[in-house]
Amino acid sequence: MPTINIEQPVLSRNDRLAASLRERFAASGTFVVNVLSSPGSGKTTTILATNERLRAMGFTSAVIEGDIASDVDALACKDAGIPAVQINTGGLCHLEGNMIAQAVDALEAGVGLENIDVIFIENVGNLVCPVDFDLGEDLSVMILSVPEGDDKPLKYPGIFQHAGALLLNKVDVASAFDFDMPKYNQVLDDLNPGAARFEVSARHGSGMDAWCAWLRSQIEEKAKQC
Amino acid sequence: MPTINIEQPVLSRNDRLAASLRERFAASGTFVVNVLSSPGSGKTTTILATNERLRAMGFTSAVIEGDIASDVDALACKDAGIPAVQINTGGLCHLEGNMIAQAVDALEAGVGLENIDVIFIENVGNLVCPVDFDLGEDLSVMILSVPEGDDKPLKYPGIFQHAGALLLNKVDVASAFDFDMPKYNQVLDDLNPGAARFEVSARHGSGMDAWCAWLRSQIEEKAKQC
């Protein structure tokens, strides 16, 4: 029986694009972070608070914002003095390599890629589909927020297995929710024992220095290899 | 140029399945609610709290649970004495008609469809993809929770436009978050002025009686038509 495999060619095309993006980022010495989470877990707040600390360490950042619609997050980044490019996916539930290539062209034409130490890609808020699309990033960060509940790694294991760093955000409101920290950590011990874990409040600052110190070590590790 | 439109046949097949499900639900006099939200907005808690109130009104319920993996939600429903069927999508980011048809077969073989007044379908936590798949439901309910932020209707307009009822959940913790209620309502006035809106705490009960009274009116309206 003849079989038309739709998934394979799309992913291969994206993989080729991701490899070419990765070369481009290596040439300019830019470290790229793909930021993943549900809608409303605090991706933009985390990026802004991380950028503030990286800036104090002497690093420059830029942001690529992926949204179904609107430009509220890109405007928030620009207000904070960070070069930002908005991608509106027009309904698509994840970012793909071709969109990132266009956004990187815009950053190149603007501030110049060689002047950007770190690019944060804020993916569409979705715990499922973004995992399948390599964007040429050096690091995928998964942000879960306390109000979402401790059972999310059990229910969406793929994205928690995929991430290189796991941030638990909004720990400042933990007392209002019955988030079971040992249970959460136990599931992650099984799913992804190698990923670095941080408990943070991006809004109020707790845990952010530890996360940014670790991120700095990753950025400097890449710089040594380039 | 020959064009192969992948989207059309898949959706048409789903639409046929949805129509046949709708006939089946009409024949048994079962009202079906498709429950949509991000991961962790409180779908299961809302379903359990709604069921409790519907049960006191004399209605029987069942639940179809859609998850990427795990059966924690279906077990929670069974613990509450509600017949529940778990669908594990194995990575797929939404439910489709063929999965619901199988789950309904299981309910038919178990308690019998004619003995179920209301079926809650808990969709996969995702604000994008589930909208495209009619499941034969009478009502789509979109649950946003306060910790996710007031900007979600701007960023994910499709699902807020699609829903017949809009629940804002976790209002009991509103003081810990800077959720701008007038801004949220203003965007919904534009996107979907016809949808009924409720501010609730599924966990602590506030607003749940108003929501359940409205839901009862919808259920009785359908019963009159069948």
Side-chain angles (χ1 to χ4, degrees), chain A residues 130-163:
Chain A
V131 174
D132 291 329
F133 293 85
D134 186 354
L135 305 179
E137 72 268 20
D138 298 287
L139 173 71
S140 280
V141 181
M142 164 66 204
I143 305 177
L144 179 73
S145 65
V146 164
E148 294 170 69
D150 54 59
D151 58 353
K152 292 302 158 294
L154 270 180
K155 294 164 85 175
Y156 302 86
I159 200 158
F160 286 89
Q161 281 175 315
H162 170 82

Short mmCIF file of all heavy atoms in Angstrom, two decimals, chain A residues 130-163:
data_model
loop_
_atom_site.label_atom_id
_atom_site.label_comp_id
_atom_site.label_asym_id
_atom_site.label_seq_id
_atom_site.Cartn_x
_atom_site.Cartn_y
_atom_site.Cartn_z
N PRO A 130 4.71 22.64 20.89
CA PRO A 130 6.02 23.27 20.64
C PRO A 130 7.20 22.31 20.74
O PRO A 130 8.24 22.53 20.12
CB PRO A 130 6.10 24.36 21.73
CG PRO A 130 4.68 24.73 22.00
CD PRO A 130 3.95 23.40 21.91
N VAL A 131 7.05 21.24 21.52
CA VAL A 131 8.14 20.29 21.74
C VAL A 131 8.66 19.68 20.44
O VAL A 131 9.84 19.33 20.32
CB VAL A 131 7.65 19.16 22.68
CG1 VAL A 131 8.69 18.06 22.82
CG2 VAL A 131 7.31 19.73 24.03
N ASP A 132 7.78 19.54 19.46
CA ASP A 132 8.17 18.85 18.22
C ASP A 132 8.98 19.71 17.27
O ASP A 132 9.40 19.23 16.23
CB ASP A 132 6.90 18.36 17.49
CG ASP A 132 6.21 17.24 18.26
OD1 ASP A 132 6.91 16.48 18.94
OD2 ASP A 132 4.97 17.14 18.18
N PHE A 133 9.16 20.99 17.60
CA PHE A 133 9.81 21.88 16.64
C PHE A 133 11.08 22.50 17.20
O PHE A 133 11.03 23.42 18.03
CB PHE A 133 8.82 22.95 16.15
CG PHE A 133 7.71 22.36 15.34
CD1 PHE A 133 6.59 21.84 15.95
CD2 PHE A 133 7.84 22.25 13.96
CE1 PHE A 133 5.57 21.25 15.21
CE2 PHE A 133 6.84 21.65 13.21
CZ PHE A 133 5.70 21.16 13.83
N ASP A 134 12.22 21.98 16.76
CA ASP A 134 13.53 22.52 17.10
C ASP A 134 13.64 23.92 16.47
O ASP A 134 13.33 24.11 15.29
CB ASP A 134 14.60 21.58 16.51
CG ASP A 134 16.01 21.96 16.90
OD1 ASP A 134 16.20 23.01 17.54
OD2 ASP A 134 16.93 21.19 16.56
N LEU A 135 14.05 24.90 17.26
CA LEU A 135 14.17 26.28 16.76
C LEU A 135 15.64 26.71 16.73
O LEU A 135 15.93 27.90 16.62
CB LEU A 135 13.34 27.23 17.64
CG LEU A 135 11.86 26.88 17.80
CD1 LEU A 135 11.16 27.89 18.70
CD2 LEU A 135 11.15 26.80 16.44
N GLY A 136 16.56 25.75 16.84
CA GLY A 136 17.98 26.09 16.83
C GLY A 136 18.47 26.57 18.19
O GLY A 136 19.58 27.10 18.31
N GLU A 137 17.67 26.36 19.22
CA GLU A 137 18.02 26.88 20.55
C GLU A 137 19.15 26.08 21.20
O GLU A 137 19.38 24.91 20.86
CB GLU A 137 16.78 26.85 21.47
CG GLU A 137 16.34 25.47 21.93
CD GLU A 137 15.30 24.84 21.02
OE1 GLU A 137 15.17 25.26 19.84
OE2 GLU A 137 14.61 23.90 21.47
N ASP A 138 19.83 26.73 22.16
CA ASP A 138 20.83 26.04 22.98
C ASP A 138 20.18 25.40 24.20
O ASP A 138 20.71 24.44 24.75
CB ASP A 138 21.89 27.05 23.45
CG ASP A 138 22.62 27.65 22.28
OD1 ASP A 138 23.44 26.94 21.67
OD2 ASP A 138 22.35 28.82 21.93
N LEU A 139 19.07 25.97 24.63
CA LEU A 139 18.43 25.53 25.87
C LEU A 139 16.92 25.70 25.77
O LEU A 139 16.44 26.74 25.31
CB LEU A 139 18.96 26.40 27.03
CG LEU A 139 18.32 26.23 28.40
CD1 LEU A 139 18.71 24.89 29.01
CD2 LEU A 139 18.73 27.37 29.34
N SER A 140 16.19 24.66 26.18
CA SER A 140 14.73 24.79 26.34
C SER A 140 14.42 24.90 27.82
O SER A 140 14.88 24.06 28.61
CB SER A 140 14.01 23.56 25.80
OG SER A 140 13.91 23.62 24.41
N VAL A 141 13.65 25.90 28.18
CA VAL A 141 13.26 26.09 29.58
C VAL A 141 11.76 25.89 29.69
O VAL A 141 10.99 26.50 28.95
CB VAL A 141 13.59 27.51 30.06
CG1 VAL A 141 13.19 27.67 31.52
CG2 VAL A 141 15.06 27.80 29.89
N MET A 142 11.36 25.03 30.59
CA MET A 142 9.94 24.80 30.83
C MET A 142 9.55 25.50 32.13
O MET A 142 10.17 25.26 33.18
CB MET A 142 9.70 23.28 30.94
CG MET A 142 8.37 22.87 31.54
SD MET A 142 6.95 23.33 30.53
CE MET A 142 5.67 23.38 31.79
N ILE A 143 8.56 26.39 32.06
CA ILE A 143 8.10 27.09 33.26
C ILE A 143 6.72 26.54 33.66
O ILE A 143 5.77 26.63 32.89
CB ILE A 143 7.98 28.61 33.01
CG1 ILE A 143 9.31 29.18 32.50
CG2 ILE A 143 7.54 29.34 34.28
CD1 ILE A 143 9.26 30.66 32.15
N LEU A 144 6.65 25.97 34.84
CA LEU A 144 5.35 25.63 35.42
C LEU A 144 5.09 26.63 36.53
O LEU A 144 6.03 27.05 37.20
CB LEU A 144 5.37 24.20 35.99
CG LEU A 144 4.05 23.75 36.64
CD1 LEU A 144 3.00 23.45 35.58
CD2 LEU A 144 4.25 22.49 37.51
N SER A 145 3.85 27.04 36.72
CA SER A 145 3.55 27.94 37.84
C SER A 145 2.73 27.18 38.88
O SER A 145 1.93 26.29 38.54
CB SER A 145 2.81 29.18 37.36
OG SER A 145 1.54 28.84 36.85
N VAL A 146 2.95 27.52 40.14
CA VAL A 146 2.31 26.81 41.26
C VAL A 146 0.79 26.69 41.09
O VAL A 146 0.23 25.61 41.33
CB VAL A 146 2.68 27.51 42.59
CG1 VAL A 146 1.76 27.07 43.73
CG2 VAL A 146 4.14 27.21 42.96
N PRO A 147 0.07 27.75 40.67
CA PRO A 147 -1.40 27.62 40.58
C PRO A 147 -1.87 26.54 39.60
O PRO A 147 -3.01 26.09 39.69
CB PRO A 147 -1.85 29.01 40.10
CG PRO A 147 -0.76 29.93 40.53
CD PRO A 147 0.50 29.14 40.41
N GLU A 148 -1.00 26.11 38.68
CA GLU A 148 -1.40 25.08 37.71
C GLU A 148 -1.49 23.69 38.33
O GLU A 148 -2.14 22.80 37.76
CB GLU A 148 -0.42 25.04 36.53
CG GLU A 148 -0.44 26.29 35.70
CD GLU A 148 0.72 26.30 34.71
OE1 GLU A 148 0.71 25.50 33.78
OE2 GLU A 148 1.64 27.13 34.88
N GLY A 149 -0.80 23.49 39.45
CA GLY A 149 -0.91 22.18 40.12
C GLY A 149 0.28 21.28 39.92
O GLY A 149 0.95 21.34 38.89
N ASP A 150 0.52 20.42 40.92
CA ASP A 150 1.70 19.55 40.90
C ASP A 150 1.57 18.36 39.96
O ASP A 150 2.55 17.64 39.75
CB ASP A 150 2.00 19.06 42.34
CG ASP A 150 0.77 18.41 42.97
OD1 ASP A 150 0.28 17.42 42.41
OD2 ASP A 150 0.30 18.92 44.00
N ASP A 151 0.36 18.15 39.40
CA ASP A 151 0.16 16.95 38.56
C ASP A 151 0.52 17.18 37.09
O ASP A 151 0.39 16.26 36.28
CB ASP A 151 -1.30 16.46 38.68
CG ASP A 151 -2.30 17.53 38.26
OD1 ASP A 151 -1.90 18.69 38.02
OD2 ASP A 151 -3.51 17.22 38.20
N LYS A 152 0.97 18.37 36.74
CA LYS A 152 1.21 18.64 35.32
C LYS A 152 2.30 17.79 34.69
O LYS A 152 2.15 17.36 33.54
CB LYS A 152 1.47 20.14 35.10
CG LYS A 152 0.25 21.02 35.36
CD LYS A 152 -0.93 20.65 34.51
CE LYS A 152 -2.26 21.11 35.08
NZ LYS A 152 -2.70 20.48 36.34
N PRO A 153 3.41 17.49 35.39
CA PRO A 153 4.41 16.61 34.77
C PRO A 153 3.84 15.22 34.43
O PRO A 153 4.22 14.62 33.42
CB PRO A 153 5.52 16.51 35.83
CG PRO A 153 5.39 17.77 36.62
CD PRO A 153 3.92 18.06 36.67
N LEU A 154 2.92 14.73 35.25
CA LEU A 154 2.28 13.44 34.98
C LEU A 154 1.40 13.52 33.73
O LEU A 154 1.31 12.57 32.96
CB LEU A 154 1.38 13.04 36.15
CG LEU A 154 1.98 12.23 37.28
CD1 LEU A 154 0.90 11.96 38.32
CD2 LEU A 154 2.52 10.90 36.74
N LYS A 155 0.74 14.68 33.57
CA LYS A 155 -0.25 14.80 32.50
C LYS A 155 0.33 15.28 31.17
O LYS A 155 -0.26 15.04 30.13
CB LYS A 155 -1.38 15.72 32.96
CG LYS A 155 -2.17 15.10 34.12
CD LYS A 155 -3.03 16.10 34.84
CE LYS A 155 -4.35 16.30 34.17
NZ LYS A 155 -5.21 17.20 34.97
N TYR A 156 1.46 15.97 31.23
CA TYR A 156 2.11 16.47 30.01
C TYR A 156 3.59 16.08 30.06
O TYR A 156 4.47 16.93 30.05
CB TYR A 156 1.95 17.99 29.90
CG TYR A 156 0.50 18.43 29.89
CD1 TYR A 156 -0.19 18.65 31.08
CD2 TYR A 156 -0.18 18.58 28.68
CE1 TYR A 156 -1.53 19.01 31.07
CE2 TYR A 156 -1.52 18.94 28.67
CZ TYR A 156 -2.19 19.16 29.86
OH TYR A 156 -3.51 19.52 29.85
N PRO A 157 3.88 14.76 30.13
CA PRO A 157 5.27 14.35 30.38
C PRO A 157 6.26 14.78 29.30
O PRO A 157 7.42 15.07 29.60
CB PRO A 157 5.17 12.81 30.46
CG PRO A 157 3.89 12.46 29.77
CD PRO A 157 2.97 13.62 30.01
N GLY A 158 5.81 14.84 28.05
CA GLY A 158 6.73 15.10 26.94
C GLY A 158 7.54 16.38 27.11
O GLY A 158 8.76 16.40 26.95
N ILE A 159 6.87 17.45 27.48
CA ILE A 159 7.54 18.75 27.55
C ILE A 159 8.47 18.81 28.77
O ILE A 159 9.50 19.46 28.74
CB ILE A 159 6.49 19.89 27.55
CG1 ILE A 159 7.13 21.21 27.14
CG2 ILE A 159 5.74 20.00 28.88
CD1 ILE A 159 6.15 22.23 26.61
N PHE A 160 8.11 18.11 29.85
CA PHE A 160 8.97 18.10 31.03
C PHE A 160 10.22 17.24 30.79
O PHE A 160 11.28 17.50 31.36
CB PHE A 160 8.19 17.58 32.26
CG PHE A 160 7.21 18.59 32.80
CD1 PHE A 160 5.91 18.65 32.33
CD2 PHE A 160 7.60 19.52 33.76
CE1 PHE A 160 5.01 19.58 32.81
CE2 PHE A 160 6.70 20.46 34.24
CZ PHE A 160 5.40 20.50 33.76
N GLN A 161 10.09 16.22 29.93
CA GLN A 161 11.25 15.39 29.57
C GLN A 161 12.18 16.13 28.62
O GLN A 161 13.39 15.94 28.64
CB GLN A 161 10.77 14.11 28.87
CG GLN A 161 10.26 13.07 29.85
CD GLN A 161 9.68 11.86 29.14
OE1 GLN A 161 8.93 12.00 28.18
NE2 GLN A 161 10.00 10.68 29.64
N HIS A 162 11.60 16.98 27.81
CA HIS A 162 12.33 17.67 26.73
C HIS A 162 13.21 18.79 27.27
O HIS A 162 14.28 19.08 26.72
CB HIS A 162 11.28 18.22 25.77
CG HIS A 162 11.79 19.15 24.72
ND1 HIS A 162 12.36 18.70 23.54
CD2 HIS A 162 11.81 20.51 24.66
CE1 HIS A 162 12.71 19.74 22.80
NE2 HIS A 162 12.39 20.85 23.45
N ALA A 163 12.79 19.45 28.36
CA ALA A 163 13.44 20.69 28.79
C ALA A 163 14.81 20.46 29.43
O ALA A 163 15.04 19.46 30.10
CB ALA A 163 12.53 21.42 29.78
#
